[in-house]
Amino acid sequence: MVDLINRILNSRHNIREIIQNDAKSAFVNPIAILLLIAIIILPSLYGLINIYACWDPYENTDHVQFAIANEDEGATYENVTINAGADLVEMLKNNTDFDWVFVSSDELRQGVHDGKYYAGMIVPANFSESIVSITTDDPHSARLEYIVNEKYPVAAKLSDAAAKAVYNNINAEIVTFINLAAYDKLGELESGLASGAAQMSSGAVLLSNGAGQVGSGASQVSSGAAQLSDGAGQLADGANQLADGASQVAGGTQQAYDKVNTYNGAVHEVTNFVRENHPESELINEWMDDVDNKADNVTGKVQQLNDGAGQVASGSASLATNTGKLKGGVDELSQGSISLAAGAQLLANSAASALFTASSSLASAAGSLADVTGLNDTQVGDYFYAPVKLDRHAEFETNNFGSQVAAFYLVLSMWVGGLITTVILSVGTSIGTPYKPHEMYFGKMLLFNIMAILQTTVTLIGAFFLGIDVHNPVMFIFSCYFVAIIFMTIIYSLISLFGKVGDGIAIILLVFQISGTGGIYPVEIMHKIFAVMSPYLPMTHAINIVRESQLGLIWSNYIPSFIFLLAAGVIVTLVSIILKQRFDKRTKYFEEKLEESDIFN
């Protein structure tokens, strides 16, 4: 390595001579000057035109046609006409995001099929009816028919965004309708709760009053029962006395009956004696018959008196027994009425307390609902339309999409500039010249790096003229020049070593770097191979340092990428010096063979 450095230092004269020859050739030939100017300008156009084209693409969709076909027949809800399709049309007429075209469904289908419209949306006839179905026993989703022509990919994606916006908007309105319908029901519930609370409170008062009356009546029953118990006791005593007297009467009547019966037997014997001894005394016999009959009558009456006295005695005994039971029942009635009075009061207190508590809870719930249902429909509608609002806070905010992608296109233009320069300008060969390979390498390198600096200067002027956002102009300009020199060194070294094969390698690297650097699309969404390659691609780190210096510098992001590029430039240079000693002859031979085919420049 020391010997190589010494050789380079000793070759300064030859290197300087090569540089002077290139400068003389560049400024003496007018055609060469014009071509060099074109080479300087072309890369900047590549980058700047792409940046300008992407300046604000999503703000220029108002010329993109999007067809709408409204076939909605409307519906009614509580005597209010709902026509979501017509509302959607009116909303889109005031929307300038796209060029909304209102056509029939047949025209829409045909137009999208033919490519007249990129996409379209059909609102079916039952759209509003489906929305209102939430208030019926058969709720079902409302459907929109979205038709898109995917021959046009970017337009299709823009149309998808439009369809999503329409879908979200109409969904928000539907949710608002549903919630307002529920809100109306809450109002009815609030009114019902308030009314129920009042009625419950009134019922609690009535219950308390009624229980008091029950207690009062029970007390009166208890007092009357006590008096009845005293009367029943007196009645029982009288019944017992009556039973005793009746028993005594029954005993006397039985004795009278026995005596009368004895007397009657004696009368019958006298009568029979007279009839037997004096049958011819019709007058005595008649008198005796009369006496006999009267004796029988007396006996019968006494018998009846005796039977009646027995019944009276038996009845008075039963009366005495039953009046005793009556007194016991009256005592139970008195005790029960006292318990009834106490229970009624307890029930009144408990029930009234529970009802008053429930009434208070209902009134509180009604009051809480009143706080919500007291809002007007506009306030509620706004809330339900957007119950959650997203507050967006941007880190390293940019004013346009062009500024966001500027780092990618600027870096890309630098690589393209390197390719254009190495394809048009000769990298030289030491074969057939008095110069050594490393002398030719360094002698030609200066011209290419000067071209890279000039190309970058034009590109930067254009970028500032466009007005891209730049947070740190000094670091931004430095980073762009640094990247341009590193890229030119890499591409120049490939061409210097391998000739046209080096061109192919540089182009292949460009292809992989366009997709694998995360300049526009995150590398995470690309194929896994790009995620693996991304950390080792020069453009990945170049975009990183340019973006950091342009949109907001974070040194922990900037420095690793800067070191990677610097190391890549140094390593490529050293490897090229070493390999060029051996590759110059082979590359020259390869180039001559290609020229012999007469189909390559």
Side-chain angles (χ1 to χ4, degrees):
M1 180 63 69
V2 174
D3 181 60
L4 177 62
I5 295 174
N6 290 330
R7 280 191 292 165
I8 293 173
L9 292 175
N10 293 331
S11 300
R12 284 180 294 178
H13 174 74
N14 289 340
I15 294 172
R16 188 162 49 245
E17 187 175 277
I18 295 172
I19 294 172
Q20 289 172 349
N21 291 336
D22 284 339
K24 187 183 299 184
S25 299
F27 290 105
V28 169
N29 191 331
I31 302 299
I33 294 174
L34 291 175
L35 186 57
L36 288 174
I37 293 174
I39 296 173
I40 292 170
I41 295 175
L42 280 176
S44 67
L45 293 178
Y46 180 84
L48 297 175
I49 289 174
N50 278 289
I51 292 173
Y52 182 72
C54 297
W55 194 253
D56 220 346
Y58 300 106
E59 294 296 325
N60 297 319
T61 58
D62 54 331
H63 298 301
V64 178
Q65 288 194 332
F66 192 106
I68 298 291
N70 177 31
E71 297 181 340
D72 188 18
E73 296 177 353
T76 57
Y77 170 71
E78 293 188 351
N79 299 322
V80 176
T81 300
I82 306 296
N83 199 322
D87 293 342
L88 175 62
V89 169
E90 288 302 315
M91 177 196 72
L92 293 179
K93 285 181 179 179
N94 297 320
N95 183 291
T96 59
D97 292 341
F98 284 80
D99 182 11
W100 307 101
V101 182
F102 303 98
V103 296
S104 68
S105 59
D106 292 337
E107 291 174 316
L108 186 149
R109 295 179 193 278
Q110 191 63 45
V112 174
H113 178 77
D114 295 340
K116 182 179 180 180
Y117 312 122
Y118 292 122
M121 188 173 289
I122 299 174
V123 183
N126 66 341
F127 189 65
S128 293
E129 179 185 344
S130 298
I131 293 174
V132 177
S133 69
I134 189 64
T135 64
T136 68
D137 295 333
D138 181 30
H140 52 274
S141 300
R143 295 184 179 274
L144 292 170
E145 185 177 359
Y146 172 54
I147 306 173
V148 60
N149 189 329
E150 294 194 344
K151 279 185 180 179
Y152 312 97
V154 176
K157 291 301 180 184
L158 290 175
S159 299
D160 286 346
K164 186 175 181 180
V166 172
Y167 168 79
N168 288 339
N169 197 293
I170 200 67
N171 257 357
E173 289 194 357
I174 292 171
V175 170
T176 301
F177 164 77
I178 294 171
N179 286 332
L180 283 176
Y183 180 75
D184 290 340
K185 297 302 180 184
L186 281 179
E188 296 176 6
L189 175 62
E190 180 268 328
S191 177
L193 286 177
S195 175
Q199 293 178 1
M200 191 172 288
S201 179
S202 176
V205 173
L206 292 175
L207 176 63
S208 180
N209 293 337
Q213 293 176 358
V214 169
S216 177
S219 297
Q220 294 176 1
V221 169
S222 178
S223 176
Q227 295 177 0
L228 182 60
S229 178
D230 292 339
Q234 295 175 2
L235 179 61
D237 292 340
N240 287 330
Q241 294 176 2
L242 176 62
D244 292 340
S247 296
Q248 294 176 3
V249 170
T253 56
Q254 183 62 42
Q255 292 178 1
Y257 174 76
D258 292 339
K259 291 181 183 287
V260 169
N261 196 35
T262 301
Y263 169 72
N264 192 28
V267 170
H268 281 300
E269 290 178 358
V270 171
T271 300
N272 290 333
F273 177 76
V274 172
R275 287 177 178 168
E276 292 175 357
N277 294 309
H278 301 284
E280 69 283 358
S281 302
E282 300 283 286
L283 179 54
I284 293 174
N285 286 331
E286 289 177 0
W287 181 79
M288 292 304 294
D289 288 336
D290 184 51
V291 171
D292 190 36
N293 288 335
K294 290 181 178 181
D296 288 337
N297 287 337
V298 170
T299 300
K301 296 296 183 181
V302 173
Q303 181 64 43
Q304 292 176 357
L305 177 61
N306 185 42
D307 291 342
Q311 292 175 355
V312 169
S314 177
S316 60
S318 297
L319 176 62
T321 300
N322 290 329
T323 51
K325 292 181 180 180
L326 174 62
K327 184 179 185 304
V330 169
D331 288 340
E332 290 180 2
L333 173 63
S334 177
Q335 294 298 323
S337 62
I338 293 173
S339 299
L340 174 63
Q345 191 62 46
L346 178 62
L347 172 64
N349 293 337
S350 299
S353 176
L355 287 176
F356 278 123
T357 300
S359 173
S360 176
S361 298
L362 286 180
S364 176
S368 298
L369 283 177
D371 293 339
V372 177
T373 56
L375 301 174
N376 61 57
D377 287 348
T378 301
Q379 290 174 307
V380 176
D382 290 342
Y383 172 79
F384 286 137
Y385 188 85
V388 177
K389 293 185 177 180
L390 182 66
D391 289 333
R392 185 176 183 270
H393 301 282
E395 292 285 340
F396 310 110
E397 186 174 8
T398 57
N399 295 314
N400 48 71
F401 185 69
S403 295
Q404 294 175 357
V405 298
F408 171 75
Y409 284 113
L410 290 174
V411 169
L412 185 59
S413 72
M414 295 170 192
W415 190 276
V416 171
L419 278 175
I420 293 173
T421 305
T422 54
V423 167
I424 296 178
L425 300 183
S426 172
V427 296
T429 178
S430 63
I431 305 302
T433 70
Y435 305 115
K436 296 177 181 179
H438 70 273
E439 294 173 347
M440 183 61 69
Y441 177 82
F442 281 110
K444 286 288 187 179
M445 178 183 281
L446 181 61
L447 173 62
F448 285 87
N449 281 330
I450 289 174
M451 292 297 294
I453 292 171
L454 293 175
Q455 289 170 343
T456 304
T457 300
V458 173
T459 302
L460 286 172
I461 292 172
F464 283 108
F465 179 78
L466 285 178
I468 67 170
D469 296 329
V470 178
H471 287 215
N472 193 324
V474 174
M475 285 301 298
F476 174 66
I477 294 171
F478 166 77
S479 299
C480 288
Y481 282 128
F482 175 74
V483 168
I485 292 172
I486 295 296
F487 278 7
M488 186 62 79
T489 299
I490 293 173
I491 297 171
Y492 166 77
S493 298
L494 289 172
I495 308 302
S496 180
L497 282 175
F498 306 114
K500 292 189 181 299
V501 175
D503 276 331
I505 295 173
I507 292 172
I508 292 172
L509 280 174
L510 173 63
V511 171
F512 279 100
Q513 290 182 127
I514 289 176
S515 299
T517 56
I520 296 180
Y521 299 104
V523 71
E524 291 80 6
I525 69 173
M526 310 300 289
H527 192 277
K528 186 177 180 180
I529 189 172
F530 294 107
V532 173
M533 294 174 59
S534 180
Y536 307 102
L537 298 175
M539 198 177 288
T540 298
H541 300 280
I543 291 172
N544 193 37
I545 67 171
V546 171
R547 181 167 49 206
E548 287 293 316
S549 58
Q550 177 206 352
L551 300 179
L553 184 59
I554 297 178
W555 288 108
S556 60
N557 293 336
Y558 185 95
I559 291 176
S561 290
F562 180 85
I563 293 174
F564 178 93
L565 290 173
L566 182 61
V570 172
I571 291 172
V572 166
T573 300
L574 293 177
V575 171
S576 298
I577 295 171
I578 295 171
L579 294 180
K580 195 166 177 63
Q581 309 296 324
R582 302 176 182 177
F583 275 62
D584 247 13
K585 288 183 180 181
R586 298 174 185 176
T587 302
K588 178 65 175 177
Y589 175 78
F590 186 78
E591 294 289 325
E592 288 175 349
K593 290 298 180 181
L594 288 177
E595 288 178 4
E596 289 177 5
S597 68
D598 200 29
I599 59 174
F600 296 98
N601 290 324

